[in-house]
Amino acid sequence: MNKLLLFLIFIGGSLSMQSQETTAEIFSPRIKNNSNGSGFYFRILNVSQADFNSYVQKSKSFAGLNTFKSGYSEEYKIGSIYYNSTSHISLTQISQLLKFLSLNRVLYDGRQITAEELKNQKIIVVEKQNIPAEIKR
C-alpha cells in the first residue's frame, strides 16, 4: 500500500513538473502577414524574469525578424515577445526562431507540439468583418 502511495505521489509530482516546463505559446491568428509589413508575437509560459530577459536578448540576434517589443508579468510568470519584418513570416521561420531560443515545447493553437512540428502546421487567418459606415460612428 505504501509503495502504491509513493508511486502515485511520484507520478503526480512528475506530471506537475512537466506542466511547469518553459513553453512557447503561439496562436496562429497572431501571425499577421501584410504587404506593408508583417508581425507576430508569442508568449513564453512558466519563465522567470531573468530567463525571459535572456530570451529577449538572444532573439535580437536572430536574422530575419526584428524584436519590436517585449513584456513580462511577474505575477503569472509569462513573457511576450513581439516581432516585425518587412517580409512574409512563415511557420518554418518561427520554428527556426524557437529552436534558436532552445524552446522546443510549443502550444500551437491549444495543441502541444514540438518546435520541429510547428513548420508543418497551418496558419489560421481571421477575416475582418466589414462594418457598415453608420455603425462606425
PDB file of all heavy atoms in Angstrom, residues 84-115:
ATOM      1  N   ASN A  84       8.602  42.072 -35.802  1.00  0.00           N
ATOM      2  CA  ASN A  84       8.104  42.552 -37.081  1.00  0.00           C
ATOM      3  C   ASN A  84       9.142  42.255 -38.150  1.00  0.00           C
ATOM      4  O   ASN A  84      10.287  41.949 -37.857  1.00  0.00           O
ATOM      5  CB  ASN A  84       7.716  44.038 -37.023  1.00  0.00           C
ATOM      6  CG  ASN A  84       8.870  44.946 -36.678  1.00  0.00           C
ATOM      7  OD1 ASN A  84      10.030  44.611 -36.876  1.00  0.00           O
ATOM      8  ND2 ASN A  84       8.563  46.100 -36.141  1.00  0.00           N
ATOM      9  N   SER A  85       8.670  42.332 -39.380  1.00  0.00           N
ATOM     10  CA  SER A  85       9.532  42.021 -40.512  1.00  0.00           C
ATOM     11  C   SER A  85       8.997  42.733 -41.744  1.00  0.00           C
ATOM     12  O   SER A  85       7.794  42.970 -41.848  1.00  0.00           O
ATOM     13  CB  SER A  85       9.544  40.505 -40.757  1.00  0.00           C
ATOM     14  OG  SER A  85      10.305  40.187 -41.896  1.00  0.00           O
ATOM     15  N   THR A  86       9.884  43.051 -42.655  1.00  0.00           N
ATOM     16  CA  THR A  86       9.444  43.656 -43.914  1.00  0.00           C
ATOM     17  C   THR A  86       8.983  42.593 -44.905  1.00  0.00           C
ATOM     18  O   THR A  86       8.374  42.913 -45.908  1.00  0.00           O
ATOM     19  CB  THR A  86      10.580  44.483 -44.547  1.00  0.00           C
ATOM     20  OG1 THR A  86      11.722  43.646 -44.702  1.00  0.00           O
ATOM     21  CG2 THR A  86      10.930  45.675 -43.671  1.00  0.00           C
ATOM     22  N   SER A  87       9.260  41.337 -44.603  1.00  0.00           N
ATOM     23  CA  SER A  87       8.844  40.252 -45.497  1.00  0.00           C
ATOM     24  C   SER A  87       7.858  39.316 -44.787  1.00  0.00           C
ATOM     25  O   SER A  87       7.638  39.410 -43.586  1.00  0.00           O
ATOM     26  CB  SER A  87      10.064  39.480 -45.997  1.00  0.00           C
ATOM     27  OG  SER A  87      10.764  38.927 -44.919  1.00  0.00           O
ATOM     28  N   HIS A  88       7.310  38.390 -45.546  1.00  0.00           N
ATOM     29  CA  HIS A  88       6.349  37.391 -45.070  1.00  0.00           C
ATOM     30  C   HIS A  88       6.982  36.561 -43.953  1.00  0.00           C
ATOM     31  O   HIS A  88       8.136  36.153 -44.066  1.00  0.00           O
ATOM     32  CB  HIS A  88       5.949  36.518 -46.271  1.00  0.00           C
ATOM     33  CG  HIS A  88       4.932  35.483 -45.953  1.00  0.00           C
ATOM     34  ND1 HIS A  88       3.591  35.737 -45.990  1.00  0.00           N
ATOM     35  CD2 HIS A  88       5.071  34.181 -45.594  1.00  0.00           C
ATOM     36  CE1 HIS A  88       2.929  34.633 -45.674  1.00  0.00           C
ATOM     37  NE2 HIS A  88       3.801  33.677 -45.429  1.00  0.00           N
ATOM     38  N   ILE A  89       6.241  36.294 -42.885  1.00  0.00           N
ATOM     39  CA  ILE A  89       6.710  35.456 -41.779  1.00  0.00           C
ATOM     40  C   ILE A  89       6.062  34.081 -41.928  1.00  0.00           C
ATOM     41  O   ILE A  89       4.847  33.963 -41.994  1.00  0.00           O
ATOM     42  CB  ILE A  89       6.342  36.065 -40.417  1.00  0.00           C
ATOM     43  CG1 ILE A  89       7.050  37.409 -40.236  1.00  0.00           C
ATOM     44  CG2 ILE A  89       6.715  35.116 -39.283  1.00  0.00           C
ATOM     45  CD1 ILE A  89       6.616  38.177 -39.006  1.00  0.00           C
ATOM     46  N   SER A  90       6.893  33.041 -41.969  1.00  0.00           N
ATOM     47  CA  SER A  90       6.382  31.676 -42.137  1.00  0.00           C
ATOM     48  C   SER A  90       6.542  30.879 -40.840  1.00  0.00           C
ATOM     49  O   SER A  90       7.310  31.252 -39.953  1.00  0.00           O
ATOM     50  CB  SER A  90       7.146  30.969 -43.260  1.00  0.00           C
ATOM     51  OG  SER A  90       8.485  30.717 -42.845  1.00  0.00           O
ATOM     52  N   LEU A  91       5.821  29.777 -40.773  1.00  0.00           N
ATOM     53  CA  LEU A  91       5.954  28.893 -39.610  1.00  0.00           C
ATOM     54  C   LEU A  91       7.328  28.230 -39.572  1.00  0.00           C
ATOM     55  O   LEU A  91       7.843  27.934 -38.499  1.00  0.00           O
ATOM     56  CB  LEU A  91       4.843  27.845 -39.608  1.00  0.00           C
ATOM     57  CG  LEU A  91       3.455  28.388 -39.280  1.00  0.00           C
ATOM     58  CD1 LEU A  91       2.409  27.295 -39.402  1.00  0.00           C
ATOM     59  CD2 LEU A  91       3.418  28.997 -37.890  1.00  0.00           C
ATOM     60  N   THR A  92       7.936  28.038 -40.731  1.00  0.00           N
ATOM     61  CA  THR A  92       9.292  27.495 -40.768  1.00  0.00           C
ATOM     62  C   THR A  92      10.252  28.469 -40.093  1.00  0.00           C
ATOM     63  O   THR A  92      11.099  28.075 -39.294  1.00  0.00           O
ATOM     64  CB  THR A  92       9.730  27.216 -42.221  1.00  0.00           C
ATOM     65  OG1 THR A  92       8.853  26.242 -42.780  1.00  0.00           O
ATOM     66  CG2 THR A  92      11.157  26.716 -42.286  1.00  0.00           C
ATOM     67  N   GLN A  93      10.082  29.747 -40.381  1.00  0.00           N
ATOM     68  CA  GLN A  93      10.926  30.775 -39.773  1.00  0.00           C
ATOM     69  C   GLN A  93      10.701  30.836 -38.256  1.00  0.00           C
ATOM     70  O   GLN A  93      11.646  30.938 -37.476  1.00  0.00           O
ATOM     71  CB  GLN A  93      10.621  32.118 -40.419  1.00  0.00           C
ATOM     72  CG  GLN A  93      11.542  33.234 -40.027  1.00  0.00           C
ATOM     73  CD  GLN A  93      11.202  34.508 -40.778  1.00  0.00           C
ATOM     74  OE1 GLN A  93      10.062  34.747 -41.148  1.00  0.00           O
ATOM     75  NE2 GLN A  93      12.206  35.338 -40.999  1.00  0.00           N
ATOM     76  N   ILE A  94       9.448  30.754 -37.824  1.00  0.00           N
ATOM     77  CA  ILE A  94       9.141  30.774 -36.395  1.00  0.00           C
ATOM     78  C   ILE A  94       9.690  29.516 -35.716  1.00  0.00           C
ATOM     79  O   ILE A  94      10.224  29.582 -34.614  1.00  0.00           O
ATOM     80  CB  ILE A  94       7.632  30.930 -36.149  1.00  0.00           C
ATOM     81  CG1 ILE A  94       7.151  32.290 -36.688  1.00  0.00           C
ATOM     82  CG2 ILE A  94       7.302  30.799 -34.672  1.00  0.00           C
ATOM     83  CD1 ILE A  94       5.647  32.468 -36.689  1.00  0.00           C
ATOM     84  N   SER A  95       9.593  28.379 -36.399  1.00  0.00           N
ATOM     85  CA  SER A  95      10.157  27.133 -35.881  1.00  0.00           C
ATOM     86  C   SER A  95      11.665  27.283 -35.670  1.00  0.00           C
ATOM     87  O   SER A  95      12.205  26.877 -34.633  1.00  0.00           O
ATOM     88  CB  SER A  95       9.871  25.986 -36.850  1.00  0.00           C
ATOM     89  OG  SER A  95      10.544  24.815 -36.481  1.00  0.00           O
ATOM     90  N   GLN A  96      12.350  27.885 -36.642  1.00  0.00           N
ATOM     91  CA  GLN A  96      13.789  28.107 -36.527  1.00  0.00           C
ATOM     92  C   GLN A  96      14.107  29.049 -35.360  1.00  0.00           C
ATOM     93  O   GLN A  96      15.076  28.840 -34.630  1.00  0.00           O
ATOM     94  CB  GLN A  96      14.345  28.674 -37.833  1.00  0.00           C
ATOM     95  CG  GLN A  96      14.321  27.679 -38.953  1.00  0.00           C
ATOM     96  CD  GLN A  96      14.594  28.321 -40.316  1.00  0.00           C
ATOM     97  OE1 GLN A  96      14.552  29.538 -40.467  1.00  0.00           O
ATOM     98  NE2 GLN A  96      14.851  27.480 -41.309  1.00  0.00           N
ATOM     99  N   LEU A  97      13.282  30.083 -35.186  1.00  0.00           N
ATOM    100  CA  LEU A  97      13.466  31.006 -34.064  1.00  0.00           C
ATOM    101  C   LEU A  97      13.348  30.272 -32.731  1.00  0.00           C
ATOM    102  O   LEU A  97      14.191  30.434 -31.849  1.00  0.00           O
ATOM    103  CB  LEU A  97      12.433  32.137 -34.124  1.00  0.00           C
ATOM    104  CG  LEU A  97      12.329  33.030 -32.878  1.00  0.00           C
ATOM    105  CD1 LEU A  97      13.603  33.849 -32.697  1.00  0.00           C
ATOM    106  CD2 LEU A  97      11.106  33.930 -32.964  1.00  0.00           C
ATOM    107  N   LEU A  98      12.307  29.459 -32.585  1.00  0.00           N
ATOM    108  CA  LEU A  98      12.104  28.734 -31.328  1.00  0.00           C
ATOM    109  C   LEU A  98      13.256  27.774 -31.045  1.00  0.00           C
ATOM    110  O   LEU A  98      13.718  27.659 -29.904  1.00  0.00           O
ATOM    111  CB  LEU A  98      10.771  28.002 -31.335  1.00  0.00           C
ATOM    112  CG  LEU A  98       9.531  28.901 -31.387  1.00  0.00           C
ATOM    113  CD1 LEU A  98       8.267  28.055 -31.427  1.00  0.00           C
ATOM    114  CD2 LEU A  98       9.498  29.876 -30.237  1.00  0.00           C
ATOM    115  N   LYS A  99      13.736  27.093 -32.073  1.00  0.00           N
ATOM    116  CA  LYS A  99      14.877  26.191 -31.889  1.00  0.00           C
ATOM    117  C   LYS A  99      16.130  26.995 -31.534  1.00  0.00           C
ATOM    118  O   LYS A  99      16.911  26.580 -30.683  1.00  0.00           O
ATOM    119  CB  LYS A  99      15.098  25.341 -33.138  1.00  0.00           C
ATOM    120  CG  LYS A  99      14.024  24.265 -33.294  1.00  0.00           C
ATOM    121  CD  LYS A  99      14.360  23.277 -34.375  1.00  0.00           C
ATOM    122  CE  LYS A  99      13.811  23.743 -35.691  1.00  0.00           C
ATOM    123  NZ  LYS A  99      14.016  22.781 -36.781  1.00  0.00           N
ATOM    124  N   PHE A 100      16.304  28.163 -32.147  1.00  0.00           N
ATOM    125  CA  PHE A 100      17.414  29.055 -31.843  1.00  0.00           C
ATOM    126  C   PHE A 100      17.379  29.474 -30.367  1.00  0.00           C
ATOM    127  O   PHE A 100      18.404  29.582 -29.714  1.00  0.00           O
ATOM    128  CB  PHE A 100      17.337  30.282 -32.762  1.00  0.00           C
ATOM    129  CG  PHE A 100      18.377  31.326 -32.515  1.00  0.00           C
ATOM    130  CD1 PHE A 100      19.687  31.137 -32.938  1.00  0.00           C
ATOM    131  CD2 PHE A 100      18.050  32.513 -31.880  1.00  0.00           C
ATOM    132  CE1 PHE A 100      20.651  32.104 -32.719  1.00  0.00           C
ATOM    133  CE2 PHE A 100      19.007  33.482 -31.652  1.00  0.00           C
ATOM    134  CZ  PHE A 100      20.310  33.281 -32.075  1.00  0.00           C
ATOM    135  N   LEU A 101      16.172  29.685 -29.851  1.00  0.00           N
ATOM    136  CA  LEU A 101      15.992  30.080 -28.453  1.00  0.00           C
ATOM    137  C   LEU A 101      15.951  28.883 -27.501  1.00  0.00           C
ATOM    138  O   LEU A 101      15.789  29.056 -26.295  1.00  0.00           O
ATOM    139  CB  LEU A 101      14.700  30.890 -28.304  1.00  0.00           C
ATOM    140  CG  LEU A 101      14.660  32.236 -29.011  1.00  0.00           C
ATOM    141  CD1 LEU A 101      13.287  32.866 -28.888  1.00  0.00           C
ATOM    142  CD2 LEU A 101      15.739  33.166 -28.485  1.00  0.00           C
ATOM    143  N   SER A 102      16.076  27.663 -28.041  1.00  0.00           N
ATOM    144  CA  SER A 102      16.006  26.416 -27.252  1.00  0.00           C
ATOM    145  C   SER A 102      14.650  26.244 -26.585  1.00  0.00           C
ATOM    146  O   SER A 102      14.543  25.732 -25.468  1.00  0.00           O
ATOM    147  CB  SER A 102      17.129  26.357 -26.208  1.00  0.00           C
ATOM    148  OG  SER A 102      18.385  26.422 -26.833  1.00  0.00           O
ATOM    149  N   LEU A 103      13.590  26.675 -27.268  1.00  0.00           N
ATOM    150  CA  LEU A 103      12.216  26.477 -26.793  1.00  0.00           C
ATOM    151  C   LEU A 103      11.595  25.384 -27.654  1.00  0.00           C
ATOM    152  O   LEU A 103      11.013  25.649 -28.698  1.00  0.00           O
ATOM    153  CB  LEU A 103      11.407  27.779 -26.910  1.00  0.00           C
ATOM    154  CG  LEU A 103      11.784  28.876 -25.942  1.00  0.00           C
ATOM    155  CD1 LEU A 103      11.144  30.194 -26.338  1.00  0.00           C
ATOM    156  CD2 LEU A 103      11.386  28.486 -24.527  1.00  0.00           C
ATOM    157  N   ASN A 104      11.731  24.144 -27.238  1.00  0.00           N
ATOM    158  CA  ASN A 104      11.245  23.027 -28.039  1.00  0.00           C
ATOM    159  C   ASN A 104       9.793  22.696 -27.768  1.00  0.00           C
ATOM    160  O   ASN A 104       9.090  22.208 -28.631  1.00  0.00           O
ATOM    161  CB  ASN A 104      12.105  21.783 -27.819  1.00  0.00           C
ATOM    162  CG  ASN A 104      11.777  20.709 -28.832  1.00  0.00           C
ATOM    163  OD1 ASN A 104      11.679  20.972 -30.027  1.00  0.00           O
ATOM    164  ND2 ASN A 104      11.578  19.496 -28.360  1.00  0.00           N
ATOM    165  N   ARG A 105       9.316  22.974 -26.579  1.00  0.00           N
ATOM    166  CA  ARG A 105       7.927  22.662 -26.206  1.00  0.00           C
ATOM    167  C   ARG A 105       7.048  23.840 -26.634  1.00  0.00           C
ATOM    168  O   ARG A 105       7.255  24.970 -26.212  1.00  0.00           O
ATOM    169  CB  ARG A 105       7.849  22.445 -24.710  1.00  0.00           C
ATOM    170  CG  ARG A 105       6.508  22.026 -24.227  1.00  0.00           C
ATOM    171  CD  ARG A 105       6.573  21.805 -22.725  1.00  0.00           C
ATOM    172  NE  ARG A 105       5.253  21.632 -22.203  1.00  0.00           N
ATOM    173  CZ  ARG A 105       4.934  20.756 -21.273  1.00  0.00           C
ATOM    174  NH1 ARG A 105       5.855  19.976 -20.772  1.00  0.00           N
ATOM    175  NH2 ARG A 105       3.716  20.660 -20.845  1.00  0.00           N
ATOM    176  N   VAL A 106       6.027  23.540 -27.461  1.00  0.00           N
ATOM    177  CA  VAL A 106       5.194  24.591 -28.049  1.00  0.00           C
ATOM    178  C   VAL A 106       3.718  24.256 -27.882  1.00  0.00           C
ATOM    179  O   VAL A 106       3.302  23.128 -28.134  1.00  0.00           O
ATOM    180  CB  VAL A 106       5.495  24.752 -29.565  1.00  0.00           C
ATOM    181  CG1 VAL A 106       4.643  25.839 -30.183  1.00  0.00           C
ATOM    182  CG2 VAL A 106       6.975  25.023 -29.800  1.00  0.00           C
ATOM    183  N   LEU A 107       2.935  25.234 -27.457  1.00  0.00           N
ATOM    184  CA  LEU A 107       1.477  25.148 -27.525  1.00  0.00           C
ATOM    185  C   LEU A 107       1.070  25.957 -28.742  1.00  0.00           C
ATOM    186  O   LEU A 107       1.246  27.172 -28.766  1.00  0.00           O
ATOM    187  CB  LEU A 107       0.819  25.734 -26.275  1.00  0.00           C
ATOM    188  CG  LEU A 107       0.846  24.902 -25.020  1.00  0.00           C
ATOM    189  CD1 LEU A 107       0.215  25.666 -23.862  1.00  0.00           C
ATOM    190  CD2 LEU A 107       0.114  23.592 -25.223  1.00  0.00           C
ATOM    191  N   TYR A 108       0.591  25.280 -29.764  1.00  0.00           N
ATOM    192  CA  TYR A 108       0.202  25.963 -31.000  1.00  0.00           C
ATOM    193  C   TYR A 108      -1.295  25.801 -31.186  1.00  0.00           C
ATOM    194  O   TYR A 108      -1.785  24.687 -31.342  1.00  0.00           O
ATOM    195  CB  TYR A 108       0.960  25.394 -32.200  1.00  0.00           C
ATOM    196  CG  TYR A 108       0.672  26.136 -33.481  1.00  0.00           C
ATOM    197  CD1 TYR A 108       1.203  27.405 -33.685  1.00  0.00           C
ATOM    198  CD2 TYR A 108      -0.143  25.595 -34.456  1.00  0.00           C
ATOM    199  CE1 TYR A 108       0.935  28.104 -34.845  1.00  0.00           C
ATOM    200  CE2 TYR A 108      -0.414  26.292 -35.617  1.00  0.00           C
ATOM    201  CZ  TYR A 108       0.130  27.543 -35.805  1.00  0.00           C
ATOM    202  OH  TYR A 108      -0.140  28.231 -36.952  1.00  0.00           O
ATOM    203  N   ASP A 109      -2.001  26.902 -31.145  1.00  0.00           N
ATOM    204  CA  ASP A 109      -3.462  26.890 -31.237  1.00  0.00           C
ATOM    205  C   ASP A 109      -4.071  25.886 -30.249  1.00  0.00           C
ATOM    206  O   ASP A 109      -5.006  25.160 -30.566  1.00  0.00           O
ATOM    207  CB  ASP A 109      -3.928  26.612 -32.655  1.00  0.00           C
ATOM    208  CG  ASP A 109      -3.655  27.776 -33.597  1.00  0.00           C
ATOM    209  OD1 ASP A 109      -3.428  28.903 -33.113  1.00  0.00           O
ATOM    210  OD2 ASP A 109      -3.665  27.571 -34.816  1.00  0.00           O
ATOM    211  N   GLY A 110      -3.472  25.831 -29.049  1.00  0.00           N
ATOM    212  CA  GLY A 110      -4.016  24.991 -27.977  1.00  0.00           C
ATOM    213  C   GLY A 110      -3.544  23.550 -27.965  1.00  0.00           C
ATOM    214  O   GLY A 110      -3.887  22.796 -27.074  1.00  0.00           O
ATOM    215  N   ARG A 111      -2.751  23.138 -28.970  1.00  0.00           N
ATOM    216  CA  ARG A 111      -2.240  21.764 -29.020  1.00  0.00           C
ATOM    217  C   ARG A 111      -0.751  21.746 -28.713  1.00  0.00           C
ATOM    218  O   ARG A 111      -0.012  22.595 -29.200  1.00  0.00           O
ATOM    219  CB  ARG A 111      -2.451  21.170 -30.419  1.00  0.00           C
ATOM    220  CG  ARG A 111      -3.900  20.943 -30.773  1.00  0.00           C
ATOM    221  CD  ARG A 111      -4.093  20.279 -32.138  1.00  0.00           C
ATOM    222  NE  ARG A 111      -2.955  20.257 -33.028  1.00  0.00           N
ATOM    223  CZ  ARG A 111      -2.713  21.170 -33.980  1.00  0.00           C
ATOM    224  NH1 ARG A 111      -3.512  22.186 -34.150  1.00  0.00           N
ATOM    225  NH2 ARG A 111      -1.671  21.058 -34.771  1.00  0.00           N
ATOM    226  N   GLN A 112      -0.313  20.776 -27.939  1.00  0.00           N
ATOM    227  CA  GLN A 112       1.099  20.681 -27.617  1.00  0.00           C
ATOM    228  C   GLN A 112       1.843  19.969 -28.737  1.00  0.00           C
ATOM    229  O   GLN A 112       1.485  18.853 -29.123  1.00  0.00           O
ATOM    230  CB  GLN A 112       1.299  19.933 -26.306  1.00  0.00           C
ATOM    231  CG  GLN A 112       2.742  19.959 -25.857  1.00  0.00           C
ATOM    232  CD  GLN A 112       2.902  19.443 -24.457  1.00  0.00           C
ATOM    233  OE1 GLN A 112       2.150  19.808 -23.571  1.00  0.00           O
ATOM    234  NE2 GLN A 112       3.886  18.590 -24.266  1.00  0.00           N
ATOM    235  N   ILE A 113       2.878  20.631 -29.272  1.00  0.00           N
ATOM    236  CA  ILE A 113       3.721  20.070 -30.322  1.00  0.00           C
ATOM    237  C   ILE A 113       5.165  20.469 -30.028  1.00  0.00           C
ATOM    238  O   ILE A 113       5.427  21.173 -29.059  1.00  0.00           O
ATOM    239  CB  ILE A 113       3.302  20.576 -31.733  1.00  0.00           C
ATOM    240  CG1 ILE A 113       3.406  22.109 -31.824  1.00  0.00           C
ATOM    241  CG2 ILE A 113       1.896  20.109 -32.091  1.00  0.00           C
ATOM    242  CD1 ILE A 113       3.174  22.658 -33.221  1.00  0.00           C
ATOM    243  N   THR A 114       6.078  20.048 -30.887  1.00  0.00           N
ATOM    244  CA  THR A 114       7.473  20.464 -30.756  1.00  0.00           C
ATOM    245  C   THR A 114       7.745  21.606 -31.732  1.00  0.00           C
ATOM    246  O   THR A 114       6.980  21.842 -32.677  1.00  0.00           O
ATOM    247  CB  THR A 114       8.434  19.310 -31.073  1.00  0.00           C
ATOM    248  OG1 THR A 114       8.298  18.955 -32.453  1.00  0.00           O
ATOM    249  CG2 THR A 114       8.159  18.104 -30.181  1.00  0.00           C
ATOM    250  N   ALA A 115       8.866  22.283 -31.532  1.00  0.00           N
ATOM    251  CA  ALA A 115       9.263  23.360 -32.438  1.00  0.00           C
ATOM    252  C   ALA A 115       9.456  22.820 -33.854  1.00  0.00           C
ATOM    253  O   ALA A 115       9.134  23.499 -34.830  1.00  0.00           O
ATOM    254  CB  ALA A 115      10.534  24.034 -31.942  1.00  0.00           C
TER     255      ALA A 115
END
